[in-house]
mmCIF file of all heavy atoms in Angstrom:
data_model
loop_
_atom_site.group_PDB
_atom_site.id
_atom_site.type_symbol
_atom_site.label_atom_id
_atom_site.label_comp_id
_atom_site.label_asym_id
_atom_site.label_seq_id
_atom_site.Cartn_x
_atom_site.Cartn_y
_atom_site.Cartn_z
ATOM 1 N N GLY A 779 -48.933 -36.956 -24.716
ATOM 2 C CA GLY A 779 -49.096 -37.192 -26.144
ATOM 3 C C GLY A 779 -47.805 -37.091 -26.941
ATOM 4 O O GLY A 779 -47.813 -37.219 -28.168
ATOM 5 N N GLU A 780 -46.703 -36.810 -26.265
ATOM 6 C CA GLU A 780 -45.429 -36.623 -26.956
ATOM 7 C C GLU A 780 -44.421 -37.677 -26.538
ATOM 8 O O GLU A 780 -44.330 -38.034 -25.371
ATOM 9 C CB GLU A 780 -44.848 -35.241 -26.631
ATOM 10 C CG GLU A 780 -45.679 -34.099 -27.153
ATOM 11 C CD GLU A 780 -45.106 -32.748 -26.782
ATOM 12 O OE1 GLU A 780 -44.008 -32.676 -26.202
ATOM 13 O OE2 GLU A 780 -45.778 -31.742 -27.074
ATOM 14 N N LYS A 781 -43.658 -38.133 -27.514
ATOM 15 C CA LYS A 781 -42.562 -39.065 -27.254
ATOM 16 C C LYS A 781 -41.460 -38.327 -26.511
ATOM 17 O O LYS A 781 -41.139 -37.187 -26.824
ATOM 18 C CB LYS A 781 -42.031 -39.589 -28.592
ATOM 19 C CG LYS A 781 -40.769 -40.424 -28.504
ATOM 20 C CD LYS A 781 -40.173 -40.642 -29.914
ATOM 21 C CE LYS A 781 -38.811 -41.245 -29.842
ATOM 22 N NZ LYS A 781 -37.733 -40.314 -29.591
ATOM 23 N N LYS A 782 -40.894 -38.966 -25.510
ATOM 24 C CA LYS A 782 -39.755 -38.381 -24.799
ATOM 25 C C LYS A 782 -38.562 -38.341 -25.737
ATOM 26 O O LYS A 782 -38.287 -39.299 -26.453
ATOM 27 C CB LYS A 782 -39.398 -39.215 -23.567
ATOM 28 C CG LYS A 782 -40.467 -39.229 -22.512
ATOM 29 C CD LYS A 782 -40.328 -38.023 -21.631
ATOM 30 C CE LYS A 782 -41.311 -38.150 -20.467
ATOM 31 N NZ LYS A 782 -41.740 -36.909 -19.957
ATOM 32 N N LYS A 783 -37.854 -37.219 -25.747
ATOM 33 C CA LYS A 783 -36.685 -37.068 -26.605
ATOM 34 C C LYS A 783 -35.431 -37.084 -25.757
ATOM 35 O O LYS A 783 -35.412 -36.522 -24.657
ATOM 36 C CB LYS A 783 -36.751 -35.747 -27.381
ATOM 37 C CG LYS A 783 -37.896 -35.663 -28.356
ATOM 38 C CD LYS A 783 -37.926 -34.316 -29.051
ATOM 39 C CE LYS A 783 -39.073 -34.241 -30.041
ATOM 40 N NZ LYS A 783 -39.166 -32.929 -30.654
ATOM 41 N N ASP A 784 -34.386 -37.709 -26.289
ATOM 42 C CA ASP A 784 -33.113 -37.666 -25.571
ATOM 43 C C ASP A 784 -32.446 -36.307 -25.833
ATOM 44 O O ASP A 784 -32.940 -35.497 -26.621
ATOM 45 C CB ASP A 784 -32.206 -38.842 -25.939
ATOM 46 C CG ASP A 784 -31.775 -38.856 -27.405
ATOM 47 O OD1 ASP A 784 -31.702 -37.781 -28.033
ATOM 48 O OD2 ASP A 784 -31.481 -39.953 -27.915
ATOM 49 N N LYS A 785 -31.325 -36.072 -25.167
ATOM 50 C CA LYS A 785 -30.657 -34.768 -25.257
ATOM 51 C C LYS A 785 -30.273 -34.419 -26.689
ATOM 52 O O LYS A 785 -30.436 -33.278 -27.125
ATOM 53 C CB LYS A 785 -29.427 -34.744 -24.349
ATOM 54 C CG LYS A 785 -28.805 -33.379 -24.242
ATOM 55 C CD LYS A 785 -27.730 -33.313 -23.196
ATOM 56 C CE LYS A 785 -27.208 -31.894 -23.067
ATOM 57 N NZ LYS A 785 -26.268 -31.750 -21.980
ATOM 58 N N ALA A 786 -29.771 -35.392 -27.455
ATOM 59 C CA ALA A 786 -29.380 -35.133 -28.846
ATOM 60 C C ALA A 786 -30.590 -34.745 -29.692
ATOM 61 O O ALA A 786 -30.502 -33.827 -30.519
ATOM 62 C CB ALA A 786 -28.693 -36.361 -29.439
ATOM 63 N N GLU A 787 -31.717 -35.384 -29.488
ATOM 64 C CA GLU A 787 -32.938 -35.044 -30.239
ATOM 65 C C GLU A 787 -33.442 -33.662 -29.842
ATOM 66 O O GLU A 787 -33.875 -32.884 -30.710
ATOM 67 C CB GLU A 787 -34.036 -36.082 -29.965
ATOM 68 C CG GLU A 787 -33.777 -37.433 -30.571
ATOM 69 C CD GLU A 787 -34.777 -38.481 -30.133
ATOM 70 O OE1 GLU A 787 -35.072 -38.576 -28.916
ATOM 71 O OE2 GLU A 787 -35.256 -39.214 -31.015
ATOM 72 N N ARG A 788 -33.369 -33.336 -28.559
ATOM 73 C CA ARG A 788 -33.794 -32.003 -28.103
ATOM 74 C C ARG A 788 -32.883 -30.924 -28.672
ATOM 75 O O ARG A 788 -33.346 -29.860 -29.078
ATOM 76 C CB ARG A 788 -33.826 -31.943 -26.573
ATOM 77 C CG ARG A 788 -34.896 -32.831 -25.954
ATOM 78 C CD ARG A 788 -35.099 -32.590 -24.469
ATOM 79 N NE ARG A 788 -33.892 -32.495 -23.685
ATOM 80 C CZ ARG A 788 -33.317 -33.497 -23.017
ATOM 81 N NH1 ARG A 788 -33.841 -34.704 -23.063
ATOM 82 N NH2 ARG A 788 -32.223 -33.277 -22.299
ATOM 83 N N PHE A 789 -31.586 -31.200 -28.717
ATOM 84 C CA PHE A 789 -30.634 -30.234 -29.264
ATOM 85 C C PHE A 789 -30.841 -30.055 -30.766
ATOM 86 O O PHE A 789 -30.785 -28.932 -31.285
ATOM 87 C CB PHE A 789 -29.197 -30.660 -28.956
ATOM 88 C CG PHE A 789 -28.178 -29.595 -29.231
ATOM 89 C CD1 PHE A 789 -28.185 -28.395 -28.528
ATOM 90 C CD2 PHE A 789 -27.203 -29.782 -30.190
ATOM 91 C CE1 PHE A 789 -27.244 -27.407 -28.781
ATOM 92 C CE2 PHE A 789 -26.260 -28.800 -30.450
ATOM 93 C CZ PHE A 789 -26.283 -27.613 -29.740
ATOM 94 N N ASP A 790 -31.111 -31.142 -31.469
ATOM 95 C CA ASP A 790 -31.383 -31.070 -32.902
ATOM 96 C C ASP A 790 -32.633 -30.230 -33.163
ATOM 97 O O ASP A 790 -32.655 -29.410 -34.088
ATOM 98 C CB ASP A 790 -31.540 -32.475 -33.490
ATOM 99 C CG ASP A 790 -31.653 -32.446 -34.992
ATOM 100 O OD1 ASP A 790 -30.674 -32.009 -35.653
ATOM 101 O OD2 ASP A 790 -32.709 -32.838 -35.523
ATOM 102 N N ASN A 791 -33.661 -30.404 -32.344
ATOM 103 C CA ASN A 791 -34.878 -29.616 -32.498
ATOM 104 C C ASN A 791 -34.613 -28.140 -32.226
ATOM 105 O O ASN A 791 -35.151 -27.262 -32.922
ATOM 106 C CB ASN A 791 -35.975 -30.150 -31.573
ATOM 107 C CG ASN A 791 -37.272 -29.393 -31.733
ATOM 108 O OD1 ASN A 791 -37.732 -28.752 -30.802
ATOM 109 N ND2 ASN A 791 -37.854 -29.454 -32.908
ATOM 110 N N LEU A 792 -33.763 -27.858 -31.243
ATOM 111 C CA LEU A 792 -33.377 -26.472 -30.952
ATOM 112 C C LEU A 792 -32.720 -25.833 -32.169
ATOM 113 O O LEU A 792 -33.070 -24.710 -32.571
ATOM 114 C CB LEU A 792 -32.442 -26.443 -29.742
ATOM 115 C CG LEU A 792 -31.827 -25.105 -29.358
ATOM 116 C CD1 LEU A 792 -32.900 -24.105 -28.972
ATOM 117 C CD2 LEU A 792 -30.846 -25.295 -28.227
ATOM 118 N N LYS A 793 -31.794 -26.540 -32.800
ATOM 119 C CA LYS A 793 -31.125 -26.010 -34.002
ATOM 120 C C LYS A 793 -32.121 -25.813 -35.141
ATOM 121 O O LYS A 793 -32.058 -24.806 -35.860
ATOM 122 C CB LYS A 793 -29.997 -26.937 -34.429
ATOM 123 C CG LYS A 793 -28.828 -26.952 -33.457
ATOM 124 C CD LYS A 793 -27.637 -27.712 -33.979
ATOM 125 C CE LYS A 793 -27.866 -29.190 -34.010
ATOM 126 N NZ LYS A 793 -26.672 -29.967 -34.387
ATOM 127 N N GLU A 794 -33.046 -26.758 -35.296
ATOM 128 C CA GLU A 794 -34.062 -26.640 -36.349
ATOM 129 C C GLU A 794 -34.894 -25.376 -36.164
ATOM 130 O O GLU A 794 -35.133 -24.632 -37.130
ATOM 131 C CB GLU A 794 -34.976 -27.869 -36.315
ATOM 132 C CG GLU A 794 -36.127 -27.798 -37.290
ATOM 133 C CD GLU A 794 -37.102 -28.965 -37.160
ATOM 134 O OE1 GLU A 794 -36.789 -29.958 -36.484
ATOM 135 O OE2 GLU A 794 -38.196 -28.860 -37.739
ATOM 136 N N GLU A 795 -35.318 -25.123 -34.942
ATOM 137 C CA GLU A 795 -36.163 -23.950 -34.695
ATOM 138 C C GLU A 795 -35.377 -22.647 -34.809
ATOM 139 O O GLU A 795 -35.906 -21.645 -35.307
ATOM 140 C CB GLU A 795 -36.856 -24.067 -33.340
ATOM 141 C CG GLU A 795 -37.793 -25.260 -33.212
ATOM 142 C CD GLU A 795 -38.843 -25.383 -34.317
ATOM 143 O OE1 GLU A 795 -39.180 -24.372 -34.969
ATOM 144 O OE2 GLU A 795 -39.331 -26.497 -34.525
ATOM 145 N N LEU A 796 -34.115 -22.641 -34.393
ATOM 146 C CA LEU A 796 -33.275 -21.463 -34.617
ATOM 147 C C LEU A 796 -33.132 -21.188 -36.112
ATOM 148 O O LEU A 796 -33.212 -20.029 -36.552
ATOM 149 C CB LEU A 796 -31.892 -21.663 -33.985
ATOM 150 C CG LEU A 796 -31.802 -21.414 -32.487
ATOM 151 C CD1 LEU A 796 -30.488 -21.961 -31.936
ATOM 152 C CD2 LEU A 796 -31.932 -19.931 -32.183
ATOM 153 N N ALA A 797 -32.942 -22.233 -36.895
ATOM 154 C CA ALA A 797 -32.820 -22.081 -38.354
ATOM 155 C C ALA A 797 -34.105 -21.510 -38.951
ATOM 156 O O ALA A 797 -34.056 -20.645 -39.833
ATOM 157 C CB ALA A 797 -32.479 -23.419 -38.996
ATOM 158 N N ASP A 798 -35.254 -21.971 -38.463
ATOM 159 C CA ASP A 798 -36.530 -21.463 -38.973
ATOM 160 C C ASP A 798 -36.682 -19.966 -38.689
ATOM 161 O O ASP A 798 -37.164 -19.211 -39.539
ATOM 162 C CB ASP A 798 -37.703 -22.234 -38.361
ATOM 163 C CG ASP A 798 -37.812 -23.658 -38.875
ATOM 164 O OD1 ASP A 798 -37.154 -24.003 -39.882
ATOM 165 O OD2 ASP A 798 -38.573 -24.445 -38.260
ATOM 166 N N VAL A 799 -36.257 -19.534 -37.504
ATOM 167 C CA VAL A 799 -36.330 -18.108 -37.158
ATOM 168 C C VAL A 799 -35.402 -17.309 -38.070
ATOM 169 O O VAL A 799 -35.799 -16.276 -38.632
ATOM 170 C CB VAL A 799 -35.995 -17.882 -35.664
ATOM 171 C CG1 VAL A 799 -35.780 -16.404 -35.365
ATOM 172 C CG2 VAL A 799 -37.102 -18.455 -34.779
ATOM 173 N N VAL A 800 -34.175 -17.784 -38.228
ATOM 174 C CA VAL A 800 -33.214 -17.091 -39.103
ATOM 175 C C VAL A 800 -33.757 -17.007 -40.527
ATOM 176 O O VAL A 800 -33.665 -15.950 -41.178
ATOM 177 C CB VAL A 800 -31.837 -17.784 -39.061
ATOM 178 C CG1 VAL A 800 -30.922 -17.262 -40.154
ATOM 179 C CG2 VAL A 800 -31.195 -17.612 -37.698
ATOM 180 N N ASP A 801 -34.339 -18.085 -41.013
ATOM 181 C CA ASP A 801 -34.884 -18.076 -42.378
ATOM 182 C C ASP A 801 -35.963 -17.015 -42.549
ATOM 183 O O ASP A 801 -35.997 -16.311 -43.565
ATOM 184 C CB ASP A 801 -35.435 -19.452 -42.755
ATOM 185 C CG ASP A 801 -34.352 -20.456 -43.073
ATOM 186 O OD1 ASP A 801 -33.165 -20.069 -43.175
ATOM 187 O OD2 ASP A 801 -34.695 -21.653 -43.236
ATOM 188 N N GLN A 802 -36.842 -16.888 -41.571
ATOM 189 C CA GLN A 802 -37.894 -15.872 -41.680
ATOM 190 C C GLN A 802 -37.295 -14.467 -41.671
ATOM 191 O O GLN A 802 -37.743 -13.592 -42.412
ATOM 192 C CB GLN A 802 -38.924 -16.033 -40.555
ATOM 193 C CG GLN A 802 -39.748 -17.294 -40.660
ATOM 194 C CD GLN A 802 -40.477 -17.416 -41.986
ATOM 195 O OE1 GLN A 802 -41.038 -16.443 -42.515
ATOM 196 N NE2 GLN A 802 -40.465 -18.611 -42.544
ATOM 197 N N VAL A 803 -36.273 -14.249 -40.860
ATOM 198 C CA VAL A 803 -35.607 -12.943 -40.832
ATOM 199 C C VAL A 803 -34.934 -12.665 -42.182
ATOM 200 O O VAL A 803 -35.019 -11.556 -42.714
ATOM 201 C CB VAL A 803 -34.595 -12.857 -39.668
ATOM 202 C CG1 VAL A 803 -33.725 -11.613 -39.777
ATOM 203 C CG2 VAL A 803 -35.326 -12.891 -38.328
ATOM 204 N N LEU A 804 -34.302 -13.688 -42.756
ATOM 205 C CA LEU A 804 -33.646 -13.503 -44.059
ATOM 206 C C LEU A 804 -34.654 -13.190 -45.159
ATOM 207 O O LEU A 804 -34.379 -12.370 -46.044
ATOM 208 C CB LEU A 804 -32.830 -14.745 -44.419
ATOM 209 C CG LEU A 804 -31.575 -14.961 -43.586
ATOM 210 C CD1 LEU A 804 -30.934 -16.298 -43.930
ATOM 211 C CD2 LEU A 804 -30.590 -13.824 -43.760
ATOM 212 N N ILE A 805 -35.815 -13.811 -45.109
ATOM 213 C CA ILE A 805 -36.852 -13.496 -46.099
ATOM 214 C C ILE A 805 -37.336 -12.060 -45.902
ATOM 215 O O ILE A 805 -37.518 -11.317 -46.887
ATOM 216 C CB ILE A 805 -38.019 -14.506 -46.011
ATOM 217 C CG1 ILE A 805 -37.573 -15.904 -46.464
ATOM 218 C CG2 ILE A 805 -39.219 -14.033 -46.837
ATOM 219 C CD1 ILE A 805 -37.192 -16.023 -47.929
ATOM 220 N N LEU A 806 -37.525 -11.636 -44.661
ATOM 221 C CA LEU A 806 -37.925 -10.244 -44.416
ATOM 222 C C LEU A 806 -36.863 -9.274 -44.917
ATOM 223 O O LEU A 806 -37.189 -8.235 -45.501
ATOM 224 C CB LEU A 806 -38.195 -10.020 -42.928
ATOM 225 C CG LEU A 806 -39.541 -10.532 -42.428
ATOM 226 C CD1 LEU A 806 -39.590 -10.542 -40.909
ATOM 227 C CD2 LEU A 806 -40.678 -9.693 -42.992
ATOM 228 N N CYS A 807 -35.595 -9.607 -44.699
ATOM 229 C CA CYS A 807 -34.516 -8.762 -45.227
ATOM 230 C C CYS A 807 -34.641 -8.604 -46.733
ATOM 231 O O CYS A 807 -34.544 -7.492 -47.261
ATOM 232 C CB CYS A 807 -33.146 -9.357 -44.885
ATOM 233 S SG CYS A 807 -32.613 -9.107 -43.192
ATOM 234 N N ARG A 808 -34.862 -9.696 -47.430
ATOM 235 C CA ARG A 808 -34.982 -9.628 -48.892
ATOM 236 C C ARG A 808 -36.203 -8.823 -49.301
ATOM 237 O O ARG A 808 -36.156 -8.040 -50.245
ATOM 238 C CB ARG A 808 -35.040 -11.048 -49.470
ATOM 239 C CG ARG A 808 -35.154 -11.090 -50.984
ATOM 240 C CD ARG A 808 -33.997 -10.387 -51.724
ATOM 241 N NE ARG A 808 -32.728 -11.027 -51.532
ATOM 242 C CZ ARG A 808 -32.211 -11.956 -52.317
ATOM 243 N NH1 ARG A 808 -32.866 -12.377 -53.375
ATOM 244 N NH2 ARG A 808 -31.028 -12.472 -52.049
ATOM 245 N N LYS A 809 -37.307 -8.993 -48.588
ATOM 246 C CA LYS A 809 -38.524 -8.236 -48.911
ATOM 247 C C LYS A 809 -38.267 -6.729 -48.830
ATOM 248 O O LYS A 809 -38.837 -5.957 -49.586
ATOM 249 C CB LYS A 809 -39.666 -8.615 -47.961
ATOM 250 C CG LYS A 809 -40.214 -10.010 -48.145
ATOM 251 C CD LYS A 809 -41.165 -10.049 -49.303
ATOM 252 C CE LYS A 809 -41.835 -11.394 -49.414
ATOM 253 N NZ LYS A 809 -42.805 -11.426 -50.503
ATOM 254 N N TYR A 810 -37.411 -6.328 -47.884
ATOM 255 C CA TYR A 810 -37.097 -4.910 -47.709
ATOM 256 C C TYR A 810 -35.784 -4.508 -48.373
ATOM 257 O O TYR A 810 -35.297 -3.396 -48.170
ATOM 258 C CB TYR A 810 -37.076 -4.545 -46.220
ATOM 259 C CG TYR A 810 -38.469 -4.501 -45.621
ATOM 260 C CD1 TYR A 810 -38.901 -5.489 -44.742
ATOM 261 C CD2 TYR A 810 -39.348 -3.476 -45.934
ATOM 262 C CE1 TYR A 810 -40.178 -5.452 -44.196
ATOM 263 C CE2 TYR A 810 -40.621 -3.427 -45.401
ATOM 264 C CZ TYR A 810 -41.028 -4.417 -44.529
ATOM 265 O OH TYR A 810 -42.300 -4.376 -43.990
ATOM 266 N N GLU A 811 -35.220 -5.428 -49.145
ATOM 267 C CA GLU A 811 -33.977 -5.179 -49.878
ATOM 268 C C GLU A 811 -32.845 -4.743 -48.937
ATOM 269 O O GLU A 811 -32.118 -3.782 -49.216
ATOM 270 C CB GLU A 811 -34.203 -4.179 -51.009
ATOM 271 C CG GLU A 811 -35.202 -4.680 -52.036
ATOM 272 C CD GLU A 811 -35.471 -3.697 -53.159
ATOM 273 O OE1 GLU A 811 -34.855 -2.605 -53.187
ATOM 274 O OE2 GLU A 811 -36.304 -4.024 -54.024
ATOM 275 N N ILE A 812 -32.724 -5.449 -47.827
ATOM 276 C CA ILE A 812 -31.659 -5.208 -46.863
ATOM 277 C C ILE A 812 -30.741 -6.420 -46.894
ATOM 278 O O ILE A 812 -31.196 -7.558 -46.745
ATOM 279 C CB ILE A 812 -32.227 -5.011 -45.442
ATOM 280 C CG1 ILE A 812 -33.173 -3.810 -45.396
ATOM 281 C CG2 ILE A 812 -31.092 -4.870 -44.429
ATOM 282 C CD1 ILE A 812 -33.960 -3.698 -44.101
ATOM 283 N N GLU A 813 -29.460 -6.189 -47.109
ATOM 284 C CA GLU A 813 -28.497 -7.280 -47.120
ATOM 285 C C GLU A 813 -28.268 -7.781 -45.694
ATOM 286 O O GLU A 813 -28.148 -6.967 -44.773
ATOM 287 C CB GLU A 813 -27.172 -6.814 -47.727
ATOM 288 C CG GLU A 813 -27.256 -6.490 -49.199
ATOM 289 C CD GLU A 813 -27.647 -7.679 -50.052
ATOM 290 O OE1 GLU A 813 -27.179 -8.803 -49.763
ATOM 291 O OE2 GLU A 813 -28.423 -7.493 -51.002
ATOM 292 N N PRO A 814 -28.201 -9.079 -45.486
ATOM 293 C CA PRO A 814 -27.975 -9.612 -44.137
ATOM 294 C C PRO A 814 -26.729 -9.028 -43.472
ATOM 295 O O PRO A 814 -26.744 -8.737 -42.268
ATOM 296 C CB PRO A 814 -27.820 -11.116 -44.357
ATOM 297 C CG PRO A 814 -28.539 -11.386 -45.624
ATOM 298 C CD PRO A 814 -28.378 -10.154 -46.462
ATOM 299 N N GLN A 815 -25.671 -8.837 -44.233
ATOM 300 C CA GLN A 815 -24.437 -8.281 -43.678
ATOM 301 C C GLN A 815 -24.685 -6.891 -43.094
ATOM 302 O O GLN A 815 -24.088 -6.517 -42.088
ATOM 303 C CB GLN A 815 -23.353 -8.230 -44.764
ATOM 304 C CG GLN A 815 -21.971 -8.071 -44.229
ATOM 305 C CD GLN A 815 -21.506 -9.278 -43.424
ATOM 306 O OE1 GLN A 815 -21.875 -10.404 -43.695
ATOM 307 N NE2 GLN A 815 -20.704 -9.031 -42.416
ATOM 308 N N GLU A 816 -25.574 -6.138 -43.724
ATOM 309 C CA GLU A 816 -25.904 -4.795 -43.236
ATOM 310 C C GLU A 816 -26.554 -4.877 -41.850
ATOM 311 O O GLU A 816 -26.274 -4.043 -40.980
ATOM 312 C CB GLU A 816 -26.850 -4.103 -44.223
ATOM 313 C CG GLU A 816 -27.190 -2.681 -43.867
ATOM 314 C CD GLU A 816 -28.137 -2.035 -44.870
ATOM 315 O OE1 GLU A 816 -28.324 -2.576 -45.982
ATOM 316 O OE2 GLU A 816 -28.696 -0.988 -44.520
ATOM 317 N N ILE A 817 -27.378 -5.880 -41.625
ATOM 318 C CA ILE A 817 -28.026 -6.074 -40.329
ATOM 319 C C ILE A 817 -26.980 -6.393 -39.262
ATOM 320 O O ILE A 817 -27.035 -5.884 -38.138
ATOM 321 C CB ILE A 817 -29.073 -7.208 -40.402
ATOM 322 C CG1 ILE A 817 -30.179 -6.885 -41.413
ATOM 323 C CG2 ILE A 817 -29.669 -7.512 -39.033
ATOM 324 C CD1 ILE A 817 -30.966 -5.648 -41.108
ATOM 325 N N LEU A 818 -26.001 -7.226 -39.609
ATOM 326 C CA LEU A 818 -24.944 -7.576 -38.662
ATOM 327 C C LEU A 818 -24.120 -6.343 -38.295
ATOM 328 O O LEU A 818 -23.821 -6.108 -37.117
ATOM 329 C CB LEU A 818 -24.044 -8.666 -39.237
ATOM 330 C CG LEU A 818 -24.731 -9.987 -39.603
ATOM 331 C CD1 LEU A 818 -23.721 -10.964 -40.178
ATOM 332 C CD2 LEU A 818 -25.466 -10.587 -38.420
ATOM 333 N N HIS A 819 -23.775 -5.543 -39.291
ATOM 334 C CA HIS A 819 -23.019 -4.309 -39.028
ATOM 335 C C HIS A 819 -23.843 -3.339 -38.187
ATOM 336 O O HIS A 819 -23.323 -2.701 -37.281
ATOM 337 C CB HIS A 819 -22.590 -3.640 -40.335
ATOM 338 C CG HIS A 819 -21.509 -4.363 -41.050
ATOM 339 N ND1 HIS A 819 -20.283 -4.625 -40.497
ATOM 340 C CD2 HIS A 819 -21.478 -4.900 -42.298
ATOM 341 C CE1 HIS A 819 -19.544 -5.293 -41.358
ATOM 342 N NE2 HIS A 819 -20.251 -5.478 -42.460
ATOM 343 N N TYR A 820 -25.129 -3.242 -38.499
ATOM 344 C CA TYR A 820 -26.005 -2.350 -37.741
ATOM 345 C C TYR A 820 -26.010 -2.744 -36.271
ATOM 346 O O TYR A 820 -25.892 -1.900 -35.382
ATOM 347 C CB TYR A 820 -27.422 -2.392 -38.322
ATOM 348 C CG TYR A 820 -28.324 -1.331 -37.754
ATOM 349 C CD1 TYR A 820 -28.428 -0.086 -38.344
ATOM 350 C CD2 TYR A 820 -29.061 -1.574 -36.603
ATOM 351 C CE1 TYR A 820 -29.244 0.898 -37.819
ATOM 352 C CE2 TYR A 820 -29.878 -0.598 -36.060
ATOM 353 C CZ TYR A 820 -29.968 0.634 -36.670
ATOM 354 O OH TYR A 820 -30.775 1.598 -36.136
ATOM 355 N N SER A 821 -26.127 -4.029 -36.007
ATOM 356 C CA SER A 821 -26.132 -4.530 -34.629
ATOM 357 C C SER A 821 -24.827 -4.183 -33.913
ATOM 358 O O SER A 821 -24.842 -3.655 -32.788
ATOM 359 C CB SER A 821 -26.336 -6.047 -34.628
ATOM 360 O OG SER A 821 -26.156 -6.573 -33.339
ATOM 361 N N GLU A 822 -23.700 -4.466 -34.556
ATOM 362 C CA GLU A 822 -22.397 -4.183 -33.945
ATOM 363 C C GLU A 822 -22.215 -2.692 -33.679
ATOM 364 O O GLU A 822 -21.772 -2.297 -32.598
ATOM 365 C CB GLU A 822 -21.280 -4.695 -34.845
ATOM 366 C CG GLU A 822 -21.203 -6.202 -34.912
ATOM 367 C CD GLU A 822 -20.199 -6.696 -35.940
ATOM 368 O OE1 GLU A 822 -19.300 -5.921 -36.337
ATOM 369 O OE2 GLU A 822 -20.327 -7.860 -36.341
#
Side-chain angles (χ1 to χ4, degrees):
E780 295 178 5
K781 172 192 170 278
K782 295 275 187 208
K783 295 178 179 176
D784 64 28
K785 188 171 184 174
E787 290 172 314
R788 293 190 314 265
F789 192 63
D790 187 63
N791 182 243
L792 174 62
K793 291 188 289 186
E794 175 185 348
E795 298 307 337
L796 279 166
D798 289 347
V799 168
V800 169
D801 284 351
Q802 292 304 318
V803 170
L804 289 174
I805 292 294
L806 282 168
C807 283
R808 180 59 65 92
K809 291 280 186 178
Y810 287 108
E811 299 179 2
I812 300 170
E813 293 298 321
Q815 197 66 32
E816 184 180 346
I817 299 299
L818 301 179
H819 288 301
Y820 190 90
S821 172
E822 290 173 20

